[in-house]
Amino acid sequence: MQNPQVKHLYSGGVITNYYCSSKCKHCSVASSPSWAKDYMTREMARKILRRMRGMGCDSIHVGGGEPMLNFEGLKAFLEEARDAGIMIEYIESNSSWYRDEADALQKLHTLQALGVDTLLISMSPFHNEYIPFQKVHDVMAACRKAGMRVFPWISEYFGDINQLDVCKTHTLAEYDAHFGRRFIDDMPRQWIGFTGRAAQFYKTRLALTPLSQILKKAGPCHKPYQTGHFHIDLYGNYLGCQGLAIALEDLGKPLDEEKYPYSTLLYQKGVGALLEAAQAKGYQPEKGYLSACHLCIELRRFLSGQLGEESRELQPTGYYTKV
Ligand code: SF4
């Protein structure tokens, strides 16, 4: 049987940091204020950018965590990207860093001078639990003034969030009360995957599929090796699927089964084989899960977060302990 392999890189991004001002309940990388304030170093940036370029990727987006929380670190990363000839498609930001217009304009002009012309501005009820919408308005206004393009993510929620007091944060319970429970519960069908913290949140709200049905349908999983939307983080983890890492030096060749046993199992046999491996170590399955990915993440959380297995592939470990 073939071993998994990442042959080329098409479209992806870097995760400069995992710490964040917020702990959004849908966060696919499980960021929060409790992560260490580590930020991608120049040396790591150089290594990653060289590898990306060598494997066919010459434009990227920048995300986190909240990348703007360490502006000097972000500037250093952008300088390295410019020197490596890598174009920045956009930087993702939750707007929490906004203090006043003068400070925002100075930051935006600095980013523009380093080749950034678009800011992805997060807007959703999940973000609004932590960030008053007024800050989003203020960052958008500063972008307009600076001539920075805005990529509103997700623009469809702009009018809904605006209906509540923009000077305050609002809990999801308030959203339930104002728009009805389906407003939040329908989001996974549109844009949220059951990964990271989202699975923990939605498993208490949505109907679960019986384990037997999930196993019947779940075949080998090759998604982590489709390189149309990958990430590489500040620790040098290539992440085709969050929490299932490949070391930079192992890209471009078949993965060693001993170093990447769970990735190999998933690739060759699927989540059912991962379940058997976890059960052999004491995992007790639930009756149902949201999806095959939810099951997969629960199994990895058991192996890494609960058993504390040392592993090159189940990284970063905070993904499993900080949900
Ligand atoms: S969570 Fe597991 S099953 Fe889902 S895409 Fe990732 S590796 Fe595949």
Side-chain angles (χ1 to χ4, degrees), residues 16-17 19 37-41 66-68 70 73-74 234:
T16 50
N17 56 306
Y19 68 94
K37 289 199 167 154
D38 298 343
Y39 205 89
M40 189 178 287
T41 61
E66 171 51 48
M68 298 278 282
N70 178 346
L74 178 58
L234 61 152

Side-chain angles (χ1 to χ4, degrees), residues 111-176:
L111 297 180
Q112 286 170 315
L114 288 166
V116 178
D117 66 5
T118 305
L119 204 62
L120 179 152
I121 300 184
S122 303
M123 51 185 76
S124 77
F126 295 100
H127 292 89
N128 195 217
E129 282 208 292
Y130 295 90
I131 300 160
F133 207 44
Q134 185 58 48
K135 282 200 183 240
V136 174
H137 280 278
D138 290 339
V139 172
M140 288 174 79
C143 285
R144 270 194 300 275
K145 205 161 186 176
M148 173 76 80
R149 247 186 302 201
V150 170
F151 174 5
W153 182 255
I154 291 176
S155 57
E156 280 86 339
Y157 298 123
F158 186 89
D160 300 322
I161 303 167
N162 242 357
Q163 287 185 31
L164 306 180
D165 182 349
V166 295
C167 296
K168 294 182 184 164
T169 55
H170 298 282
T171 63
L172 294 183
E174 285 177 76
Y175 275 91
D176 281 346

Side-chain angles (χ1 to χ4, degrees), residues 194-195 218-225 240-242 244 266 270-271 274 291-297 300 319:
F194 294 129
T195 59
C221 178
H222 294 182
K223 281 187 209 153
Y225 312 97
C241 179
Q242 192 64 28
L244 204 58
L266 282 162
V271 73
L274 186 64
S291 65
C293 289
H294 174 208
L295 168 61
C296 183
I297 284 161
R300 292 192 261 134
Y319 179 70

Side-chain angles (χ1 to χ4, degrees), residues 69-90:
L69 292 181
N70 178 346
F71 199 66
E72 290 306 310
L74 178 58
K75 272 166 59 184
F77 175 78
L78 295 173
E79 284 165 9
E80 292 300 327
R82 180 193 58 198
D83 295 350
I86 300 247
M87 195 199 112
I88 304 297
E89 294 157 2
Y90 55 84

